[in-house]
Amino acid sequence: MTHPGAYCGASIGAAAAYTLAVLAGLPSFYYFPRLDAWGLQPLADEPTVRWYGYLLVGLIGGALGMLAGRAWPRPRWPLVWIAAAVCMVLLFAHEWSWFTR
């Protein structure tokens, strides 16, 4: 059985990594559907899906958060809710122009 604090750590790590990838422009992964390939740079004249890269960064953050969360003696779910709410507000503010089109 996984340590209970690991679930909290994974949740916080995934949310924080995804938010940082979107807001801070962390190095991202690009998916090219026509080529069925991944890359670190967009290719000219090739459709690119960057969102999948954000999800992959979130997955990596979740794995690292799970490792860090094992140090917690018990789950800290209120901290997870606060972190998730902060991430949602930041992402909403970042995408505000998209919502108001």
Side-chain angles (χ1 to χ4, degrees):
M1 182 176 150
T2 306
H3 190 280
Y7 298 123
C8 291
S11 299
I12 293 172
Y18 179 89
T19 303
L20 283 173
V22 172
L23 299 180
L26 292 179
S28 186
F29 303 99
Y30 297 87
Y31 177 69
F32 309 104
R34 287 195 304 199
L35 302 175
D36 192 28
W38 290 84
L40 295 175
Q41 297 290 328
L43 299 175
D45 299 329
E46 194 62 41
T48 304
V49 181
R50 192 170 183 185
W51 184 67
Y52 292 158
Y54 292 153
L55 292 179
L56 191 56
V57 169
L59 181 67
I60 293 168
L64 294 174
M66 182 177 271
L67 292 175
R70 292 178 59 83
W72 295 344
R74 60 184 174 79
R76 294 188 165 88
W77 292 110
L79 183 60
V80 173
W81 283 103
I82 291 168
V86 167
C87 288
M88 288 302 295
V89 167
L90 291 172
L91 289 168
F92 184 79
H94 182 264
E95 298 296 328
W96 179 254
S97 64
W98 186 83
F99 289 114
T100 57
R101 286 184 192 174

